[in-house]
Amino acid sequence: MTNQEITNVHELIASTNPSNLQTAFAKLQAAPHSKTVLTYLFILSFFHPDEAVRNQAKPLFKVRAPIGFYANATKELFFAKIVPKSGIPSVFVFTALLEKMHKHGVLDVKVLGVHLIDFWVQSWEFCWKHRAVDAMKLLRRVQKGKSLQLAGSIKAIPEEIWQLTELESLTIINRNLGYISEDIAQLKNLKYLNIQSKLAKFPVGITQLHQLAELKLFINNDQFFGTVPSEVAQLTQLKELTFTSLSGSFPVNFCRITSLERIDLGYSNFEDFPEEVTQLNHLNTLKLNFNENLQLSGLFSKLHKISSLKNLDLSFCKLNTLPDEVALLDQVEKLNIAGCHLRSLPTHIEDMVSLKYLDISHNHFEQLPKVVHKLPRLEQVKTDQGVIDIQQG
C-alpha cells in the first residue's frame, strides 16, 4: 500500500461516514503487510479520538505487529493516559510516548508524523524533531487562526515560525529553550506574546513589535532581566506586562514603557522599584503578591506619585506589619493585603480616601479592625468570613 493509498484511506476515515469507514477498513484488511500499513494501523489503534475506530483497528494491528511490539504498545498506550478527561493532551506526554515507540524501529516515522498530526497537534514536537512533516506545514497545522501555542522541550524551535507574519498571538512554553532569534521582529502584527523558558538574553527583536499590547515573561534564569535593553521604550502600544521569578533589581528599562496600564510581578523577590517607576503615569494595576522582600516605605512613596494607580495587590507578602506610609496611597481604590500575617492595621490607613475595596482575609485579625469604618469611601471588606458591606454614615 503506497503513501497515497494510505492518504486516501485516511480521508475516508476522517469523513466519519459509516460507509466510508467500512470501505477504509476493508482496504486496510486486504492490503499486504508493510511498514506503512502497520504504522497507520498503530495510529488508529491508539490515537484515534473515536473509541469505536480504535477498537476496530486493534485486531488488524495485532495480526501485523511483531508480538513484542504489540505487547509493549498495549502496555504503554492507554488512551486515558494520552488524553486526560480535560480533553487537552500534553505535548510532553506525546513526545515521550512516541519516542519510546519509535525506538523499536517498527514504525515508519514519515507516515506516523503526517497522519498523527491530523488527530493531535500535540505530536508536533516529535514530528519536527524527526522531520516527518515540512516545518511550515507543521506550524500551519498547529496554528489556530492568528494564534499559535508552541509547547515543547527541544532546545531550539523551528526558525520557520518567524515567517508566520500574520500571527497576532504567540505562546512559547519550553523549559529548555535558551535562545530566541532576533527574527522574532518579523512578527509585526503580534499583539500578545507569552514566553516561558530559560532564556539567557532578552531578544532585542521584541522591541520591534510595535503592535504588542501584552507581554508575559516567565523566565527561569537570573541573568535574563539584566539584559532588558532601553529599546523596549519603542513598545508604545504595550498595556500589560507580566513576569515572575525576579530576584535582583527591577529592570529600570521597563519603566520607559510609559503606555503600561497593568504590571504583574507575582512570585518575585526584588526589594524596591527604581525612582523611574514614577514615569508610568498610565499604570492603574500593580500586582506584587508573594514577594517576601519588598521594602514598603520606599515603595509607597514612589507609588504615591502615580496618580493613575487604582489597584494594588500585596497579598501573601509576609509583611507582619503595614507601615503608616500606606496612607500615601490616597489614589488607590482597591487594596489586597490578604495572607500577610497582619494582626492590626495602621491608624493612618484612614487617609486612603479613595479606597473602596479592602481584602484582609487570611491574616490574624481577631475581629474587624475599627479603623476600616473611618475610611470615607470604603464599600466592602473581604475577611475570612466573606465579604462585608460597609455602611457609611
Side-chain angles (χ1 to χ4, degrees):
M1 207 172 204
T2 65
N3 286 339
Q4 183 56 54
E5 288 172 325
I6 286 291
T7 298
N8 294 340
V9 168
H10 186 68
E11 291 174 354
L12 289 171
I13 291 176
S15 74
T16 68
N17 181 291
S19 177
N20 288 345
L21 197 62
Q22 186 176 357
T23 301
F25 273 103
K27 288 178 178 291
L28 289 170
Q29 189 163 14
H33 287 226
S34 70
K35 199 172 187 178
T36 301
V37 175
L38 177 65
T39 303
Y40 189 65
L41 285 171
F42 169 81
I43 295 169
L44 296 181
S45 298
F46 299 103
F47 293 94
H48 196 282
D50 190 330
E51 184 179 7
V53 173
R54 297 198 301 272
N55 290 338
Q56 192 169 352
K58 279 182 182 177
L60 297 180
F61 173 71
K62 183 177 182 180
V63 170
R64 295 168 183 262
I67 295 175
F69 182 72
Y70 177 80
N72 190 271
T74 52
K75 177 182 177 181
E76 295 286 344
L77 303 177
F78 293 99
F79 191 76
K81 176 181 179 180
I82 300 169
V83 182
K85 290 182 179 180
S86 67
I88 305 175
S90 164
V91 171
F92 308 103
V93 170
F94 259 85
T95 302
L97 290 175
L98 290 172
E99 289 291 353
K100 187 175 289 188
M101 295 297 104
H102 175 59
K103 287 179 180 178
H104 290 273
V106 172
L107 303 173
D108 184 317
V109 72
K110 295 287 186 182
V111 174
L112 186 61
V114 166
H115 299 297
L116 186 54
I117 195 70
D118 281 344
F119 296 135
W120 301 106
V121 296
Q122 288 79 9
S123 64
W124 81 267
E125 184 177 59
F126 175 86
C127 296
W128 184 75
K129 181 179 178 181
H130 294 279
R131 302 298 187 267
V133 184
D134 173 77
M136 184 55 71
K137 289 182 179 179
L138 187 63
L139 290 170
R140 292 291 188 192
R141 183 66 185 84
V142 179
Q143 183 181 345
K144 294 181 179 179
K146 296 182 179 181
S147 177
L148 176 64
Q149 177 171 312
L150 215 57
S153 57
I154 47 180
K155 294 183 178 180
I157 57 178
E159 289 297 305
E160 289 82 357
I161 191 175
W162 315 128
Q163 298 176 33
L164 302 177
T165 55
E166 74 281 7
L167 283 181
E168 294 183 1
S169 174
L170 174 61
T171 297
I172 298 174
I173 303 172
N174 191 320
R175 298 176 191 141
N176 296 322
L177 186 65
Y179 170 79
I180 286 181
S181 169
E182 304 303 331
D183 289 339
I184 192 175
Q186 297 177 29
L187 304 183
K188 297 294 186 182
N189 293 305
L190 211 60
K191 297 178 180 178
Y192 173 90
L193 178 60
N194 182 344
I195 300 175
Q196 302 178 34
S197 71
K198 63 171 187 178
L199 293 183
K201 183 180 179 182
F202 188 95
V204 177
I206 291 177
T207 67
Q208 300 299 312
L209 303 176
H210 300 305
Q211 299 301 313
L212 200 63
E214 184 172 357
L215 176 61
K216 292 185 176 183
L217 300 168
F218 302 92
I219 310 298
N220 186 23
N221 188 327
D222 292 339
Q223 308 304 315
F224 174 81
F225 290 104
T227 68
V228 177
S230 60
E231 289 86 349
V232 294
Q234 298 171 168
L235 299 176
T236 57
Q237 298 300 310
L238 194 66
K239 306 297 184 186
E240 296 192 36
L241 174 65
T242 300
F243 58 87
T244 63
S245 305
L246 176 64
S247 57
S249 301
F250 182 85
V252 65
N253 284 330
F254 277 139
C255 296
R256 296 173 180 265
I257 311 175
T258 56
S259 57
L260 283 172
E261 296 178 359
R262 178 183 174 89
I263 298 179
D264 185 344
L265 304 176
Y267 299 90
S268 291
N269 280 304
F270 67 100
E271 293 185 355
D272 197 3
F273 285 104
E275 188 65 34
E276 287 82 353
V277 74
T278 60
Q279 299 172 12
L280 301 175
N281 53 17
H282 290 93
L283 187 68
N284 62 60
T285 299
L286 179 60
K287 295 189 69 175
L288 300 171
N289 51 314
F290 291 94
N291 187 330
E292 299 181 12
N293 293 321
L294 282 176
Q295 302 298 312
L296 294 183
S297 296
L299 173 69
F300 290 158
S301 63
K302 291 166 187 172
L303 296 184
H304 166 65
K305 298 175 184 178
I306 306 175
S307 61
S308 58
L309 185 63
K310 303 300 180 185
N311 186 355
L312 178 61
D313 186 347
L314 299 173
S315 59
F316 298 94
C317 285
K318 294 186 179 179
L319 305 177
N320 295 316
T321 60
L322 193 62
D324 285 339
E325 286 86 349
V326 69
L328 293 172
L329 303 179
D330 55 2
Q331 80 279 40
V332 170
E333 296 180 359
K334 185 176 181 179
L335 176 63
N336 187 346
I337 49 175
C340 289
H341 297 241
L342 300 173
R343 297 181 181 277
S344 63
L345 294 178
T347 302
H348 290 294
I349 198 173
E350 65 185 65
D351 292 332
M352 295 184 70
V353 294
S354 298
L355 197 63
K356 296 179 181 179
Y357 180 90
L358 176 64
D359 188 343
I360 60 171
S361 60
H362 304 291
N363 280 291
H364 302 297
F365 298 107
E366 295 181 358
Q367 59 186 3
L368 186 66
K370 294 180 180 180
V371 70
V372 301
H373 293 288
K374 296 183 179 181
L375 288 159
R377 295 187 181 177
L378 191 66
E379 297 174 358
Q380 291 184 320
V381 178
K382 184 177 180 181
T383 69
D384 292 340
Q385 287 70 45
V387 177
I388 299 173
D389 291 324
I390 302 297
Q391 302 296 323
Q392 298 296 343

